[in-house]
Amino acid sequence: MRDDVTLSHVSKAGSAVRPGYVATRSRVETYFDKTATRTWERLTSDAPVSKIRQTVREGRDRMRELMLSRLPADLTGHRVLDAGCGAGQMTIELAKRGAEVLATDISPSLVQIAQDRLPDAHREQVSFAAGDMLSPELGHFDHVIAMDSLIYYNAADIGRALKELEARTSGTIVFTVAPKTRALMAMWYAGKLFPRSDRSPVMIPHDAGQLVQASRAQGVNGRMQPVDRVTSGFYISQLMEVRP
């Protein structure tokens, strides 16, 4: 039995990345690894937060449950990529279902928090890696979950990311995007009232149908479709999936 979980680092260059993807990824890394680590650590804990952040916490909890419902209840023997694992809430739930989890995030600081929070009972099931979620070094998977880790990218970059993940995934890919709604745009503008240090990189809203078409154009072959949407105050997110 391992006494702790080794944090490895993987390449930040996928096989089909473009300059726009790399630039966005760099902004996301800076925000989560240097600017707002403590904010996200608190948001993903049981610590008291403001009413606005409480709506985000509740929305993320609902989305996590919804995403997990798209995978088998028993994941014993399944290798699952938690792409953009953040502080590790999804990682723990996947491990509870019996999965062998590879939890990765562009932010080493958040990966360290996820590693520290992992219950001892699941340490043999989980490996952590800091770096690009698209890195071929991560290997092949039965399923992939990417919660709020693609929300900053344009449609073409999301399509290319899904194509790369699809090539190494035998089962379902479930991921979230920011839906193109008036409510979301209103929340985005209101979010500018947050202190500058708490602002995230700009989300790119997507129409689900147009995103499917853009992903097809990038070579995604599986059955891609919108599943459901979660709206909770300042948290608005669209669940999508790609099935073989």
Side-chain angles (χ1 to χ4, degrees), residues 21-38:
Y21 172 87
V22 173
T24 300
R25 185 185 62 193
S26 178
R27 289 195 298 271
V28 172
E29 178 181 9
T30 298
Y31 172 71
F32 285 103
D33 198 52
K34 298 182 172 60
T35 305
T37 302
R38 295 307 158 205

Side-chain angles (χ1 to χ4, degrees), residues 20-105:
Y21 172 87
V22 173
T24 300
R25 185 185 62 193
S26 178
R27 289 195 298 271
V28 172
E29 178 181 9
T30 298
Y31 172 71
F32 285 103
D33 198 52
K34 298 182 172 60
T35 305
T37 302
R38 295 307 158 205
T39 297
W40 279 89
E41 182 178 20
R42 189 176 185 86
L43 180 68
T44 57
S45 70
D46 295 327
V49 292
S50 68
K51 290 183 179 179
I52 289 176
R53 291 202 173 102
Q54 182 62 29
T55 67
V56 175
R57 177 184 282 174
E58 292 171 358
R60 286 176 55 82
D61 288 346
R62 284 163 51 191
M63 179 55 79
R64 188 180 312 107
E65 293 175 2
L66 184 59
M67 297 182 82
L68 287 166
S69 75
R70 307 305 295 178
L71 301 187
D74 184 358
L75 289 169
T76 304
H78 292 239
R79 189 168 191 251
V80 181
L81 174 64
D82 185 1
C85 67
Q89 291 169 294
M90 184 75 78
T91 299
I92 293 173
E93 295 305 316
L94 289 167
K96 286 180 179 178
R97 291 189 177 202
E100 175 190 342
V101 186
L102 192 294
T104 186
D105 199 280

Side-chain angles (χ1 to χ4, degrees), residues 91-150:
T91 299
I92 293 173
E93 295 305 316
L94 289 167
K96 286 180 179 178
R97 291 189 177 202
E100 175 190 342
V101 186
L102 192 294
T104 186
D105 199 280
I106 197 66
S107 165
S109 296
L110 287 180
V111 175
Q112 186 63 59
I113 292 170
Q115 179 177 339
D116 293 342
R117 288 180 175 179
L118 183 68
D120 290 342
H122 299 299
R123 289 188 175 270
E124 288 192 344
Q125 298 167 245
V126 180
S127 298
F128 290 95
D132 194 334
M133 62 187 173
L134 304 184
S135 174
E137 298 172 32
L138 299 178
H140 290 72
F141 301 92
D142 295 291
H143 305 286
V144 172
I145 279 187
M147 180 175 171
D148 296 346
S149 51
L150 292 171

Side-chain angles (χ1 to χ4, degrees), residues 153-160 162 175 177-181 204-220 224-226 229 238 240 242:
Y153 298 94
N154 63 39
D157 282 337
I158 290 176
R160 279 185 284 270
L162 292 173
F175 65 100
V177 295
K180 185 175 286 187
T181 66
I204 299 180
H206 294 283
D207 173 83
Q210 293 176 358
L211 183 59
V212 171
Q213 293 178 5
S215 297
R216 294 275 183 233
Q218 296 302 323
V220 174
M224 180 173 168
Q225 62 183 5
R229 185 177 295 174
Q238 173 70 53
M240 307 281 295
V242 179

